[in-house]
Amino acid sequence: MNRDGGGDLIPFTIDLTLEEVRRRAEVVAALGPDWDPAAALRGEGEAYALLYSGLDAEQRRTHELLVAAGVLPGEGPGRAAH
């Protein structure tokens, strides 16, 4: 907008598709040839289980309330996506 409130803006668009493809390629290259995504997901599941394994009864109830409210992810598919 100009100083008197008029709409003298020029539309500006940019396509970031090529940049996103380049960024993803760089991430995969940085991970290296030995990266195993299945092993990474298994490790994440093991870490999640360990994180919540030692809860007492009150902590377990609190955890279940937070899961039910959508604050924490629950068990099952899609948990890692949060």
Side-chain angles (χ1 to χ4, degrees), residues 60-79:
R60 172 57 59 192
R61 282 191 301 277
T62 300
H63 178 264
E64 290 169 359
L65 286 171
L66 292 171
V67 169
V71 175
L72 291 176
E75 295 293 326
R79 179 184 52 181

Side-chain angles (χ1 to χ4, degrees), residues 29-79:
L31 290 170
D34 297 329
W35 180 65
D36 182 357
L41 287 174
R42 280 191 304 275
E44 183 177 325
E46 292 166 4
Y48 184 86
L50 182 60
L51 179 64
Y52 296 108
S53 65
L55 301 180
D56 63 28
E58 183 179 350
Q59 291 168 329
R60 172 57 59 192
R61 282 191 301 277
T62 300
H63 178 264
E64 290 169 359
L65 286 171
L66 292 171
V67 169
V71 175
L72 291 176
E75 295 293 326
R79 179 184 52 181

